[in-house]
Amino acid sequence: MFVRILSALPPFAALRCAVLGFIALGLAATVCCANEVLESFDGVNYAGWQVRGDAFGDSPATGTLPGQQEVQGFVGAGLVNSFLNGDRTTGEMLSEPFVIDADHAALLVGGGRDTERVFVELVIDGERVAVATGAESEQLAWANWDVREHRGRTARIRIVDNATGGWGHLLVDAITLTDEPIRAPGRDALLAAYRTSAEYLREPWRPQVHFTPEIHWMNDPNGLVYHRGEYHLFYQYNPFGIAWGHMSWGHAVSPDLMHWEHLPVALWEEGDEMIFSGCAVVDRGNTSGFGTADNPPLVAVYTSHRPGNQAQSLAYSTDDGRTWTKHAGNPVLDIGEADFRDPKVFWHEPTERWVMVVSLAVAKRLQFYGSDDLKSWKLLSEFGPAGAEPKPNWECPDLFELPIEDARGRPTGRTAWVLEVDMGGGSVAGGSGGEYFVGDFDGQRFACHDPSQPAYWVDYGRDFYAPVSWSDIPADDGRRIWIGWMNNWETHLLPTDPWRSAMSVPRTLSLRETADGLRLVQRPVRELEALRGPEVRQLETVRVLDKGEEASLVVQQPSFSPLDLVLECEVQDDGFVWLDLLAGGDELTDGELANDTEATRLRYDASTERLSLDRTRSGEVDFHEKFAGVHTAPLTLDERRLQLRIILDASSVEVFAQDGRVVLTDRVFPSPGSHHVRIGGAGAEIKKLQVWPLRSIWRDN
Ligand code: FRU
């Protein structure tokens, strides 16, 4: 309904607060003067509007439409959402005429960013006098038009969707006449309020030994670099909301890869440029000239994402990463492609130049470039398509040399190269995940040892994506360490608030000789062990597992603490062993948990040689239809010996089997009180069982 209702202030203010999620933090938006809501799109139809085409339907949408990322930030029951039947539909809506009787017109807008094809405009006498678009985000934000010079004139609002490709849709809501522009409470105020709240980094599902942003949305790790005693962690970040959008680089630093200090946003979205994934290096020789010989710069290489174009750009810092300047000559590598992203750069000593691996994402081809100064790049070679199919794309590559260990984990003194790359869908456990190739790199070209190699999976769980490794770890340390985004694009809208997503535990990498050839090994970094408290002594002395599905309690935790758990078993050829992690139940009888309510079950079966992680009964699983599931890895034992190391946090399980040869990472959302660990099985003998509580990285410094 297009009506002129003088909205009573308190309800409108309250609505805005509720929608933007501020009530929980006790923050009210400042609304000082009369707002006249011209259109709320909360009615059952578009009364008062002329509607053409098939993009808008007969009535306002009530939120997210099928196939769309989560729509956020609209007010009340409905909004205009032209994603009806996807981006391909088009149309136009024209309002009734109205008289401008305020200084500003404000409206919520989201979706595509194209002032010629996907926009909302204010029209007087048939002429556009103001226009607004979304920011390629499903999160609506306030747009304000200063209409003082048009006061007293008659105008109309026109909403246009004439685009059929990516981001070919618009979201519009709450068209308002107001004497003051409407602004959402600032991010800084929100963060300040959160920092002083009792819940600060203590929510029930807030990981306690994994990195998370304080508030809002995070995806891929970016710009991992070690410099002057600090590990830098940048990450894909939406400074304005809890869903993907406005991509910028968040920033944190740590002395030990465990305890993180949250720093201000390092690289902001600007104009129509979003800051997509990339890397950072210490430019020791000041080849870029951004620093000096005495103070070599940190240089970030990132993807500038603009509508229809992705190109590689630079930013630099000469104050230990605290402030960043975007290079005036950006972009430094633009080949006119729409899907060309996620550069990873390293110094290749033998050829004495920088090498970049970057992805032609939709073509599923990786390109290698060389440069002397980080500014001008020359194409060296290409790799792919290769590996798993079908997959929609390839993103976030990394390339590095690793030491090879023998089958028993002893150094051989030899090395090989690993090329890792991630697919946005179609991975081993469903949805997004990573694969890797083993071969050699001569500074020019990556040659796979086995050109016909199938996909080698990085992680058999669902929640380990876009891992990248730290640059510039000192040679006397010598480790190659990476961290991954503990989430999956298919099920990424996890039920947490006011933040979304976590990083994995940092993992040290190597290659191991196996019967099948060289395979990647990942182990939690040794720094994690420093978080261990005294070993848990309440273990029951179960040694031989012979009771099948009957459980023995290993750890009873009245309140949650993260755990580091090591289990070694000898498993007979027909034996099996399982662990119920984050298990819930009412009471303890004879060392067992009664009224079993839920658990995340890890199970190894010797007859099928399968290790599986089952989160169908792990607590909150209904928020997405693809979330509940069992994720399985093939696993052959040596001499019947099963080795497991498990890192359990408030909403994650990471399983490192056979000393890191097979890894499974899953997010889980247990009910309050589901903190226990139980063990069961048959035909298995426990050789080692150790459990340590881990101190919180946020609280127990
Ligand atoms: C992978 C990815 C990258 C891109 C970034 C955008 O998760 O799609 O390819 O740079 O996310 O946030």
Side-chain angles (χ1 to χ4, degrees):
M1 265 195 304
F2 193 76
V3 282
R4 313 198 58 182
I5 312 164
L6 231 114
S7 79
L9 262 182
F12 186 61
L15 263 180
R16 286 170 52 194
C17 293
V19 163
L20 297 167
F22 298 145
I23 269 181
L25 296 168
L27 261 188
T30 14
V31 181
C32 65
C33 31
N35 290 329
E36 188 180 355
V37 179
L38 290 176
E39 178 57 86
S40 66
F41 295 112
D42 291 336
V44 293
N45 56 33
Y46 289 124
W49 291 80
Q50 296 168 27
V51 183
R52 289 199 294 107
D54 54 359
F56 300 102
D58 299 332
S59 56
T62 53
T64 309
L65 293 171
Q68 190 174 27
Q69 291 190 48
E70 186 182 25
V71 171
Q72 294 199 331
F74 60 102
V75 182
L79 77 158
V80 170
N81 182 348
S82 76
F83 194 72
L84 191 63
N85 294 317
D87 275 326
R88 62 194 159 81
T89 51
T90 58
E92 190 180 313
M93 293 180 54
L94 186 65
S95 78
E96 282 180 342
F98 61 94
V99 175
I100 298 175
D101 57 3
D103 287 350
H104 299 269
L107 65 167
L108 285 165
V109 197
R113 168 165 26 201
D114 183 339
T115 52
E116 298 305 313
R117 296 187 308 158
V118 189
F119 58 84
V120 46
E121 64 181 3
L122 184 67
V123 178
I124 298 179
D125 291 341
E127 295 286 323
R128 172 189 286 186
V129 297
V131 65
T133 69
E136 296 199 342
S137 165
E138 306 295 19
Q139 191 184 321
L140 293 92
W142 287 105
N144 287 282
W145 292 325
D146 184 336
V147 290
R148 277 175 288 194
E149 62 178 292
H150 307 299
R151 255 195 115 117
R153 302 198 62 190
T154 299
R156 288 175 179 236
I157 303 275
R158 199 162 79 103
I159 303 173
V160 174
D161 173 355
N162 260 334
T164 52
W167 290 110
H169 65 275
L170 203 70
L171 313 170
V172 179
D173 197 18
I175 302 170
T176 308
L177 288 176
T178 169
D179 285 336
E180 290 290 328
I182 301 179
R183 306 205 191 280
R187 176 195 130 73
D188 292 348
L190 193 60
L191 190 55
Y194 177 59
R195 284 183 173 162
T196 54
S197 75
E199 287 275 275
Y200 182 63
L201 303 178
R202 287 169 188 263
E203 299 87 356
W205 286 327
R206 174 74 77 166
Q208 294 300 314
V209 295
H210 290 85
F211 178 79
T212 50
E214 295 163 288
I215 58 172
H216 296 338
W217 167 264
M218 171 178 81
N219 54 289
D220 319 346
N222 297 152
L224 306 184
V225 64
Y226 179 86
H227 183 56
R228 295 199 179 128
E230 288 179 327
Y231 293 91
H232 290 261
L233 166 59
F234 301 87
Y235 50 88
Q236 285 290 281
Y237 186 53
N238 180 354
F240 304 108
I242 200 168
W244 187 91
H246 300 286
M247 296 324 290
S248 302
W249 278 23
H251 190 194
V253 288
S254 170
D256 61 0
L257 292 162
M258 289 291 133
H259 297 92
W260 295 98
E261 181 190 346
H262 292 105
L263 293 178
V265 170
L267 291 173
W268 284 92
E269 169 193 48
E270 219 175 311
D272 68 347
E273 180 203 36
M274 286 203 256
I275 315 297
F276 271 22
S277 284
C279 61
V281 293
V282 183
D283 180 10
R284 286 183 201 291
N286 192 29
T287 62
S288 62
F290 293 143
T292 60
D294 296 339
N295 186 25
L298 283 175
V299 181
V301 190
Y302 63 87
T303 298
S304 295
H305 169 93
R306 294 194 163 81
N309 181 265
Q310 293 183 341
Q312 316 322 320
S313 291
L314 306 178
Y316 57 91
S317 168
T318 51
D319 59 358
D320 299 335
R322 292 327 192 252
T323 59
W324 290 82
T325 306
K326 289 176 185 160
H327 171 45
N330 279 340
V332 293
L333 180 58
D334 182 0
I335 58 170
E337 285 282 338
D339 285 283
F340 179 50
R341 59 179 179 266
D342 308 338
K344 181 74 199 285
V345 172
F346 62 95
W347 179 255
H348 187 253
E349 193 57 51
T351 53
E352 294 187 311
R353 68 176 169 204
W354 299 104
V355 170
M356 175 196 293
V357 54
V358 57
S359 184
L360 281 165
V362 174
K364 295 176 247 184
R365 271 164 34 220
L366 303 180
Q367 293 192 321
F368 301 90
Y369 288 84
S371 173
D372 293 327
D373 60 1
L374 294 164
K375 291 173 179 164
S376 76
W377 293 92
K378 185 171 140 270
L379 182 65
L380 302 174
S381 64
E382 285 198 358
F383 179 83
E389 282 297 346
K391 59 190 168 206
N393 58 24
W394 248 2
E395 313 177 309
C396 302
D398 198 354
L399 174 67
F400 41 79
E401 191 175 10
L402 286 183
I404 298 175
E405 53 192 53
D406 71 10
R408 292 175 179 275
R410 294 170 305 204
T412 64
R414 288 179 286 113
T415 64
W417 287 75
V418 167
L419 178 61
E420 195 275 349
V421 58
D422 297 82
M423 59 197 81
S427 184
V428 60
S432 55
E435 60 186 326
Y436 67 95
F437 302 85
V438 181
D440 291 314
F441 183 71
D442 60 4
Q444 179 93 19
R445 183 174 298 281
F446 176 80
C448 213
H449 283 173
D450 170 7
S452 62
Q453 82 149 79
Y456 295 164
W457 299 110
V458 169
D459 193 302
Y460 287 87
R462 268 182 66 98
D463 295 311
F464 187 74
Y465 194 63
V468 275
S469 64
W470 262 276
S471 178
D472 293 279
I473 293 185
D476 60 358
D477 178 319
R479 288 177 295 174
R480 176 63 56 174
I481 298 169
W482 75 8
I483 199 168
W485 178 49
M486 267 209 299
N487 205 340
N488 186 314
W489 279 118
E490 196 171 46
T491 40
H492 63 285
L493 297 174
L494 304 177
T496 60
D497 184 37
W499 87 103
R500 242 194 209 133
S501 295
M503 293 300 176
S504 72
V505 144
R507 302 169 180 182
T508 306
L509 304 176
S510 53
L511 282 167
R512 185 179 305 157
E513 288 173 334
T514 73
D516 301 324
L518 293 176
R519 291 294 186 277
L520 190 66
V521 171
Q522 304 175 63
R523 301 178 175 102
V525 288
R526 58 171 181 259
E527 286 84 344
L528 181 70
E529 287 157 38
L531 302 179
R532 286 175 177 169
E535 205 179 321
V536 175
R537 292 274 169 221
Q538 62 196 97
L539 310 183
E540 203 192 325
T541 50
V542 221
R543 280 286 162 225
V544 179
L545 296 173
D546 57 7
K547 295 196 283 185
E549 298 299 327
E550 254 180 80
S552 298
L553 198 73
V554 177
V555 187
Q556 186 197 8
Q557 290 211 101
S559 65
F560 176 75
S561 155
L563 295 177
D564 184 349
L565 193 149
V566 169
L567 173 69
E568 286 185 29
C569 282
E570 190 171 308
V571 191
Q572 301 308 315
D573 291 345
D574 58 352
F576 64 91
V577 54
W578 54 261
L579 280 164
D580 271 352
L581 308 166
L582 298 164
D586 286 347
E587 59 190 72
L588 200 63
T589 34
D590 303 331
E592 287 175 20
L593 203 59
N595 302 332
D596 156 46
T597 52
E598 66 182 44
T600 303
R601 179 167 287 197
L602 177 69
R603 177 180 168 114
Y604 183 72
D605 260 291
S607 58
T608 56
E609 300 190 303
R610 290 270 184 281
L611 179 67
S612 58
L613 193 55
D614 178 345
R615 65 176 180 190
T616 55
R617 290 182 64 243
S618 63
E620 174 68 57
V621 296
D622 293 335
F623 62 91
H624 191 285
E625 57 178 21
K626 294 277 177 59
F627 185 79
V630 185
H631 311 131
T632 301
L635 182 60
T636 302
L637 304 186
D638 301 319
E639 295 162 3
R640 296 182 169 158
R641 187 61 70 107
L642 174 70
Q643 287 183 315
L644 298 172
R645 167 118 184 250
I646 301 161
I647 309 299
L648 267 188
D649 205 340
S651 55
S652 67
V653 177
E654 281 163 289
V655 180
F656 301 85
Q658 308 311 86
D659 198 19
R661 163 67 196 89
V662 166
V663 184
L664 284 131
T665 305
D666 269 350
R667 298 299 302 275
V668 288
F669 300 94
S671 307
S674 297
H675 305 144
H676 312 296
V677 178
R678 308 186 305 164
I679 194 165
E685 190 177 337
I686 298 173
K687 298 291 187 186
K688 190 192 228 179
L689 179 54
Q690 290 178 289
V691 185
W692 297 268
L694 295 170
R695 281 185 287 271
S696 166
I697 60 173
W698 308 123
R699 302 213 285 268
D700 307 332
N701 273 332

